[in-house]
Amino acid sequence: MSISYNPTQHSVIKRIKVLERQNLVMKVIVMCLAVLVVACQPKTTTAQAPMADSLSLPDVLEVQKIVLKDDNQDVRLVIDATDSNDIFQAFYDHSGVERARIGIDELDSARFRLFDSKSTLRFNAVTFSDNHPQAANRVSMAILGADNQDPDNVVEKGGIVLTTSPSGAVGEYLFDKDGGLRIENQVFDNGMVGKNIYDNNAVLRLSEGVLANGNTTRQMLDNTGKSRHSLTISEGESSLVNEIIFDKQGVARLVNFTNGNTSGQIHNDQAGETKTSTAIDADNTVAHFVEPTAREKLINATDTVIRTVDIIRLLTGGGE
């Protein structure tokens, strides 16, 4: 039986042998890689060691500025110490608008600020440093209106400002939308309490309070700042209640008072001279005084002179 040569069959056998050799090489490579992976694994007797334990981390991270971005690569947080006079940490919203900032300024005062979506300062809290030239060791908090565009403006538009001093004094200040002070409330370190109200032109129109000694006062002023009505209640043995009404020139024209069981009223002229007065004593006795007119004063003076002459004549015997 003769065997005939088939070129096609010979080619197929040759290719199969090549594939077998390539397969053997791949098996060897895979086995080597597996050995390397096993050898690189950390040697532990129990569970896998934590990643932090296998890394050598520094105890202190020293940088001047840190910028944190979100998954959209938008800046959301900045910690900046590049300027020694302005150390701050700032937070930003999705639109890139700064909404909050906390920091230390050039005078070592601590500041905390909150902004609205238009970057307008709406809340400002400050703890002033001990060496601050105007407000040493004071604390101030301001809730501001939407029109306050200047964050460094001391006149807060449409806002409320609260302050405390190292001595214990407390203040509250209310401003209108134009930045004008309208209401001022204060508690002083000596115990005195005061309240001032101003008009649109920054003129004091009403002032009232309780003094340290317990006396109560109230002043009403006109649009020029002159006192027109005054009321005082004095504590102590006298228990005096005194009411004074002034004219435009500031002259006391009418005085009403009560002192224990005594009460009275006094009328003054334009020069402040008393013209009439009435008083009721504790025993209900009424006393009334009316200043004589010029004619009456002349008659009284003439009568006094005549009586004096008559007395002299009688004493000298001239009347006989």
Side-chain angles (χ1 to χ4, degrees):
M1 181 176 179
S2 61
I3 299 175
S4 60
Y5 176 74
N6 188 343
T8 303
Q9 183 179 4
H10 179 74
S11 176
V12 170
I13 294 172
K14 185 177 180 180
R15 293 183 61 185
I16 290 174
K17 291 182 178 180
V18 172
L19 291 174
E20 288 178 348
R21 286 195 300 269
Q22 291 178 349
N23 186 34
L24 179 61
V25 173
M26 290 298 298
K27 288 181 179 180
V28 173
I29 293 174
V30 170
M31 291 179 64
C32 292
L33 290 175
V35 172
L36 290 174
V37 170
V38 173
C40 291
Q41 292 293 325
K43 297 179 180 180
T44 57
T45 56
T46 55
Q48 176 75 24
M51 182 64 69
D53 295 340
S54 63
L55 298 177
S56 178
L57 298 177
D59 294 333
V60 179
L61 179 62
E62 295 185 1
V63 295
Q64 285 189 314
K65 187 175 183 178
I66 297 176
V67 179
L68 299 182
K69 297 182 179 180
D70 58 17
D71 53 354
N72 296 321
Q73 297 301 306
D74 294 328
V75 176
R76 304 302 300 274
L77 173 63
V78 174
I79 302 175
D80 195 335
T82 56
D83 184 357
S84 61
N85 290 325
D86 187 17
I87 310 300
F88 67 90
Q89 180 175 349
F91 297 84
Y92 300 84
D93 61 16
H94 289 93
S95 301
V97 178
E98 183 180 359
R99 302 298 300 275
R101 174 179 290 222
I102 183 171
I104 306 294
D105 62 17
E106 68 278 7
L107 295 176
D108 290 332
S109 298
R111 296 180 178 270
F112 177 52
R113 295 177 176 179
L114 298 178
F115 306 86
D116 61 18
S117 58
K118 297 181 181 179
S119 192
T120 301
L121 182 64
R122 303 299 300 275
F123 179 88
N124 185 21
V126 185
T127 300
F128 295 97
S129 60
D130 293 341
N131 59 349
H132 195 280
Q134 287 86 30
N137 203 19
R138 288 179 175 268
V139 178
S140 176
M141 183 183 72
I143 302 174
L144 312 176
D147 294 331
N148 192 77
Q149 300 296 328
D150 186 0
D152 297 322
N153 190 358
V154 295
V155 180
E156 312 294 1
K157 296 182 178 179
I160 302 173
V161 177
L162 304 176
T163 64
T164 62
S165 68
S167 63
V170 181
E172 178 188 37
Y173 308 89
L174 281 70
F175 298 84
D176 60 22
K177 64 179 182 179
D178 297 322
L181 179 62
R182 303 301 300 273
I183 299 177
E184 178 182 20
N185 297 317
Q186 296 188 62
V187 178
F188 297 90
D189 54 1
N190 63 355
M192 176 180 173
V193 179
K195 180 176 184 178
N196 295 327
I197 298 178
Y198 302 83
D199 63 15
N200 289 324
N201 298 316
V203 177
L204 180 62
R205 303 299 299 273
L206 176 63
S207 178
E208 57 187 8
V210 178
L211 304 181
N213 58 6
N215 294 347
T216 304
T217 65
R218 193 171 195 266
Q219 297 278 341
M220 289 190 291
L221 304 93
D222 60 18
N223 57 8
T224 65
K226 292 182 179 180
S227 179
R228 301 299 300 276
H229 184 273
S230 173
L231 178 63
T232 303
I233 300 177
S234 301
E235 299 298 331
E237 296 181 358
S238 62
S239 299
L240 175 65
V241 178
N242 195 33
E243 180 187 29
I244 304 175
I245 299 177
F246 303 86
D247 60 17
K248 290 184 178 181
Q249 286 70 38
V251 177
R253 302 297 298 273
L254 176 62
V255 178
N256 295 315
F257 67 91
T258 176
N259 185 0
N261 294 324
T262 303
S263 62
Q265 186 178 76
I266 300 174
H267 293 267
N268 300 327
D269 61 13
Q270 295 180 358
E273 298 292 334
T274 300
K275 295 300 182 180
T276 65
S277 65
T278 302
I280 301 176
D281 293 332
D283 58 357
N284 291 328
T285 301
V286 178
H288 183 68
F289 165 79
V290 177
E291 184 183 27
T293 63
R295 181 174 179 275
E296 291 174 337
K297 290 181 179 180
L298 179 59
I299 294 175
N300 291 336
T302 303
D303 290 340
T304 301
V305 172
I306 294 173
R307 290 172 184 171
T308 302
V309 172
D310 290 341
I311 292 173
I312 294 174
R313 290 175 61 187
L314 287 173
L315 292 175
T316 59
E320 294 180 356

